[in-house]
Amino acid sequence: MIVYTVKGGKYFPVAESFANDAETLRGIYINLTNRCNNDCVFCLRDKKVMAAEKSLWLDEEPTVDDVKAELNAVPFHLVKEIVFCGFGEPTIRLAELTEILRYVKKIQPNISTRLNTNGLGELEHGRDISADFKNILDVASISLNAATAERYLKITRSKFGIQAYAAMFTFAEHMKKTVPQVVMTIVDKVTPPDEISACKKICAEHGVTLRIRPYENS
Ligand code: SF4
């Protein structure tokens, strides 16, 4: 599935979602890749049931035109938000991601756009990528996961090693200059209460809002 909706923790192709319910406002999700530079211990990509259903698993990465074609069939009067999410890390496909964001803002300038990311796009591309999102992204939601670099690495098993944690905060600080809302998130079931408190403190120090979200893929 490339463009999909979520209801009750399940994923639906947009056509099926709107055919079954043509009244409710909902978010539209865009799935660009299975690839990720992390290997989180809780990642849904590892869950056998998800692999069997292959609901979000992409046998082939979609082209920009593939995504545009699916977006063109969406009844946007029923859409409140467009979210880049999925099984992998969207910023790995930075050029395609920003091209689609530009397209969304061109055809639907009033619909909010959100990027769910692990915040490691700058390490992936070796530069400050925040300017790429100027005027096309409304919300950047970054998975914080932990209160220390060591614990972060243990959970995420990032290919970038111990530097990943600090780089994620640098990315957040850069994004605050170009994106209206930057939030960091932690997952409730995998984060102990004392770590949640420590995460709140760290986010306050960096001037970033912390959101505690239910267990799901980032
Ligand atoms: S949970 Fe998100 S950041 Fe972690 S490995 Fe899966 S896709 Fe990557």
Side-chain angles (χ1 to χ4, degrees):
M1 249 184 289
I2 303 168
V3 180
Y4 64 99
T5 64
V6 183
K7 191 174 180 185
K10 292 189 174 164
Y11 309 109
F12 298 91
V14 281
E16 186 182 330
S17 169
F18 290 106
N20 291 339
D21 175 7
E23 302 296 328
T24 313
L25 270 178
R26 74 209 75 187
I28 292 288
Y29 295 79
I30 300 178
N31 180 24
L32 287 181
T33 183
N34 302 325
R35 290 181 286 155
C36 190
N37 32 38
N38 278 353
D39 180 20
C40 298
V41 292
F42 52 82
C43 184
L44 290 177
R45 297 182 308 166
D46 293 335
K47 299 287 178 275
K48 281 187 183 139
V49 61
M50 296 300 293
E53 287 176 3
K54 289 196 170 186
S55 57
L56 286 185
W57 191 262
L58 298 163
D59 290 328
E60 214 172 292
E61 290 186 340
T63 65
V64 169
D65 285 343
D66 291 336
V67 178
K68 284 181 180 176
E70 291 210 16
L71 284 174
N72 289 342
V74 169
F76 279 105
H77 64 286
L78 291 170
V79 176
K80 60 181 177 185
E81 182 184 36
I82 293 184
V83 184
F84 288 80
C85 190
F87 257 0
E89 167 53 37
T91 60
I92 284 189
R93 298 191 70 198
L94 183 63
E96 292 86 353
L97 167 64
T98 52
E99 189 175 343
I100 297 163
L101 275 165
R102 267 191 297 280
Y103 182 71
V104 167
K105 282 297 180 190
K106 185 177 152 197
I107 61 169
Q108 296 294 331
N110 297 323
I111 291 184
S112 180
T113 53
R114 170 160 55 103
L115 168 66
N116 287 358
T117 176
N118 62 18
L120 303 183
E122 297 196 340
L123 281 180
E124 182 69 31
H125 297 283
R127 64 179 178 87
D128 176 351
I129 62 172
S130 59
D132 298 38
F133 295 100
K134 193 168 185 180
N135 299 326
I136 52 175
L137 184 65
D138 298 302
V139 183
S141 178
I142 305 167
S143 300
L144 175 60
N145 288 307
T148 67
E150 291 74 16
R151 170 108 175 113
Y152 178 86
L153 186 55
K154 200 170 172 188
I155 293 171
T156 64
R157 301 181 290 196
S158 177
K159 78 170 191 183
F160 299 114
I162 200 72
Q163 64 173 327
Y165 193 69
M168 178 178 53
F169 279 105
T170 302
F171 172 71
E173 278 159 22
H174 290 161
M175 290 293 269
K176 278 170 64 182
K177 292 179 192 161
T178 57
V179 175
Q181 196 184 349
V182 178
V183 297
M184 297 194 108
T185 68
I186 47 176
V187 181
D188 54 5
K189 284 186 188 165
V190 297
T191 313
D194 59 335
E195 188 140 22
I196 290 177
S197 302
C199 287
K200 283 180 184 166
K201 191 163 173 269
I202 286 173
C203 285
E205 284 166 9
H206 285 83
V208 184
T209 303
L210 178 69
R211 186 171 73 85
I212 301 164
R213 63 180 170 85
Y215 173 70
E216 61 181 355
N217 200 31
S218 68

